[in-house]
Amino acid sequence: MKIRINRKELAKHIQIVQKAISARTTMQILEGIMLKAENNTLTLTATDTEISIRTKLSCIVEEEGQLVIHSRLFGDIVRKLNNDLIDIKVENYNMNLRCGESIFNISTQNAEDYPDLPRIDEYKKLTMSASEIKNIVKKTTFAVSQDETRIIFTGVLMDIKKDYINFVALDGFRMAIQKIEKEVDFETSIIIPSRSLNELVKILEDDYDVEIHISRNNIVFSFNNTVFYSTLLSGEFFNYNGLLRDNHDITCDVKKSEFQSAVERASLLAREDRANLIKLNIEDSSIEIKSNSEIGDVFEKVQTSNVNENLKIAFNSKYILDGVKILENEDILLNFTDSVNPLIITESEDDSYIYLVLPVRLAG
Amino acid sequence: MKIRINRKELAKHIQIVQKAISARTTMQILEGIMLKAENNTLTLTATDTEISIRTKLSCIVEEEGQLVIHSRLFGDIVRKLNNDLIDIKVENYNMNLRCGESIFNISTQNAEDYPDLPRIDEYKKLTMSASEIKNIVKKTTFAVSQDETRIIFTGVLMDIKKDYINFVALDGFRMAIQKIEKEVDFETSIIIPSRSLNELVKILEDDYDVEIHISRNNIVFSFNNTVFYSTLLSGEFFNYNGLLRDNHDITCDVKKSEFQSAVERASLLAREDRANLIKLNIEDSSIEIKSNSEIGDVFEKVQTSNVNENLKIAFNSKYILDGVKILENEDILLNFTDSVNPLIITESEDDSYIYLVLPVRLAG
């Protein structure tokens, strides 16, 4: 292989595929990036077998070829070089890399030993914008389960119906649902590992459409000369619709920033050894928030519209804060039923996002 | 105690004294800040017995008093409150704190149990600007020893002569000396813990003079309503002058950024298990920098003025980079004697800073 390539472009594409390199791999070849040069194009591929990324960029190919090179070392070298152009020549598993006054020789591995990317035969197809995907990931992945023994709940459900898609994450204490209006010509449900979604958004830029292909075992995102593959999780997800109800006895409208900062302050005394317990007392036109520990107690008060019923209810403040923090609207609704049913948090002007938190039942 | 105080000012002053609070203290009272209200002034004090800080701010004192309050909790509460003014009232070891709709009650401890600050009886005095101190700390503390068994080398020597002061840090592999021209009416040598200097600069702003008092066991920095105490380290420092020599056989002038980035790239292959070894070959008008490991090798070349002698010499690249990175001037000098004597790095236009690195002796 012999190529001449723009350094900054190469650095950018190395960074893209590095999102598929796991720090914890035990297979040495998976610490590498596969490079393939042909038709004046360099193709970079990396995989940890769950996430795979392939990306292409133009370069001058004087001699075709392919190889595997250590990802971190190659990335560090290209990033730290000074000149605009890099000349790369590979012979006998040695990569000779020249840029300005710098000369590197690095051993490479055989591209034949590199695993194949997933084959996507039968698939279903839809399109979403990159900014839509970023919003979905921000609103859902934080709520997935951290418990690796119930692996499907570490993923985000993508529940595709004829005219909308629900993205659902839950961990047994809270649930986040982002709904997207979209006409699709098929219905299906898949579970995407949340790690894949979090890595995907790191390489998405805001201004293009993303083609999505869904096969039996994989989801593939294509954009901007890059293809991002993720395996899917298989298993039965939770019937999340059963948790939702429309008729709430008590609906409080509050200012997001006021409510959030009051809960944050109350949390200062709701220490972790007490499960971050805060107590809400809803009465007339205010929500009183209390918490205490050995060292002291705190009372906060947030204004709301007049409510006709009183309610005392307790929560783990972390779960409330996680969901409130990511809301963009300043006007939000807290929908309560009673002290044992979930609190459902929504934005006043936009019903596409639902965040649900289970209360903590207090003894007595 | 009963006071009304500006929230932002209080938050700022809490942050100042928190620099003296150790995360690792075993004495519960030292997790606290001592507050004392009198004469419409609140005084905050914190200490870890090595560093002590006292700072004052104005407030309305309706009732005098003193107490100790948990530092982190008090700081978090004041930082997260919303309104401009806080009302604080302490009765029976309970602090009641009101701000807008927030009410906190926090247990306090007895101020009588709080340790006294060092007494500074006989002292010597000088003045330096805050920016001068910041520059000294940046140029020296990184070079102190990390080895706690030779405790005095974890400090910075302040060697005060009649018309200059040398600040010296060394760890057996390299040495940094920052010289300050200053007329002082005494001569002495003290060793200041580097941790104290690093905490001090976090609370120094650029625009004022700092009064320095030196006693037998302490150094005290006074500025802007704040007094910062540090204990001194006692013991015999190294006779650093013996390492310096003026006549160098080979002096190379290089561009700092070029030299730094070439050494950084060479370091990519000089892995930690090889002591970051890089080899320099000085010949004619260039410095060749080489390094290698199992995975490959690298050659870098940096231009310099014509030198009349050739030299091969090896270094731990980390020690070179630490010293070069902090230089501000783009024109620097590398002063060599031979392959076993230290490299002395200076700035071309300014001889107030000297950075010295011992070479690595190669077998054969």
Side-chain angles (χ1 to χ4, degrees), chain B residues 86-210:
Chain B
I86 304 184
D87 285 297
I88 296 178
K89 191 175 167 183
V90 183
E91 273 175 343
N92 298 323
Y93 298 108
N94 177 67
M95 175 186 282
N96 178 269
L97 192 150
R98 285 165 188 266
C99 179
E101 296 281 7
S102 306
I103 306 170
F104 280 85
N105 289 296
I106 311 291
S107 335
T108 67
Q109 288 178 275
N110 196 334
E112 309 278 310
D113 299 336
Y114 204 77
D116 290 329
L117 292 199
R119 276 186 58 174
I120 309 299
D121 292 331
E122 287 197 30
Y123 58 81
K124 292 175 164 132
K125 195 178 137 187
L126 68 153
T127 304
M128 290 175 66
S129 75
S131 57
E132 215 170 11
I133 295 174
K134 284 188 160 185
N135 180 51
I136 292 162
V137 172
K138 177 181 161 199
K139 296 279 182 62
T140 56
T141 52
F142 73 90
V144 302
S145 171
Q146 303 303 315
D147 180 357
E148 297 281 335
T149 61
R150 298 169 74 210
I151 193 79
I152 58 163
F153 296 116
T154 65
V156 175
L157 176 74
M158 182 176 180
D159 193 15
I160 306 175
K161 303 290 181 194
K162 284 269 179 254
D163 49 5
Y164 67 89
I165 306 172
N166 274 342
F167 292 85
V168 186
L170 59 86
D171 69 355
F173 304 104
R174 40 62 187 284
M175 176 168 75
I177 305 178
Q178 177 68 53
K179 186 179 191 170
I180 301 291
E181 309 279 344
K182 189 169 288 286
E183 285 188 23
V184 191
D185 58 4
F186 59 94
E187 293 203 342
T188 190
S189 275
I190 56 171
I191 306 167
I192 310 167
S194 62
R195 194 177 76 84
S196 300
L197 292 172
N198 287 328
E199 295 300 334
L200 171 66
V201 295
K202 288 182 193 159
I203 57 176
L204 279 186
E205 284 156 25
D206 278 326
D207 53 354
Y208 40 64
D209 276 351
V210 177

Side-chain angles (χ1 to χ4, degrees), chain A residues 73 76-77 80-82 101-107 261 264-265 268 295-301, chain B residues 73 76-77 80-82 101-107 261 264-265 268 295-301:
Chain A
L73 182 61
D76 286 350
I77 291 170
K80 285 192 180 275
L81 286 167
N82 274 339
E101 296 281 7
S102 306
I103 307 170
F104 280 85
N105 288 297
I106 311 290
S107 338
S261 71
E264 280 172 351
R265 285 191 297 271
L268 294 175
I295 200 170
D297 52 43
V298 47
F299 300 82
E300 294 282 341
K301 203 180 253 185
Chain B
L73 182 61
D76 286 350
I77 291 171
K80 283 191 180 277
L81 286 167
N82 275 338
E101 296 281 7
S102 306
I103 306 170
F104 280 85
N105 289 296
I106 311 291
S107 335
S261 73
E264 279 173 351
R265 285 191 298 270
L268 293 175
I295 200 170
D297 51 42
V298 48
F299 299 83
E300 294 282 342
K301 204 179 251 185

Side-chain angles (χ1 to χ4, degrees), chain B residues 218-322:
Chain B
N218 291 279
I219 183 166
V220 185
F221 302 86
S222 306
F223 49 96
N224 206 20
N225 290 322
T226 299
V227 187
F228 183 104
Y229 300 74
S230 170
T231 53
L232 297 176
L233 298 173
S234 59
E236 197 62 41
F237 206 76
F238 184 76
N239 173 22
Y240 65 93
N241 280 308
L243 269 178
L244 300 176
R245 50 187 287 176
D246 281 338
N247 55 328
H248 301 286
D249 296 330
I250 304 175
T251 294
C252 304
D253 54 348
V254 294
K255 294 290 173 197
K256 169 193 135 81
S257 55
E258 258 178 51
F259 181 65
Q260 180 181 332
S261 73
V263 174
E264 279 173 351
R265 285 191 298 270
S267 305
L268 293 175
L269 284 167
R271 295 176 0 182
E272 278 186 42
D273 55 348
R274 306 190 155 238
N276 303 308
L277 190 74
I278 58 168
K279 295 177 195 165
L280 274 58
N281 186 13
I282 299 153
E283 208 177 301
D284 300 332
S285 59
S286 74
I287 304 175
E288 201 178 83
I289 305 168
K290 290 193 287 187
S291 123
N292 63 284
S293 71
E294 308 86 59
I295 200 170
D297 51 42
V298 48
F299 299 83
E300 294 282 342
K301 204 179 251 185
V302 176
Q303 299 305 314
T304 177
S305 54
N306 211 33
V307 290
N308 33 14
E309 268 189 85
N310 297 352
L311 176 67
K312 285 180 199 279
I313 187 168
F315 292 97
N316 179 327
S317 63
K318 178 189 180 308
Y319 295 134
I320 294 200
L321 286 175
D322 281 354

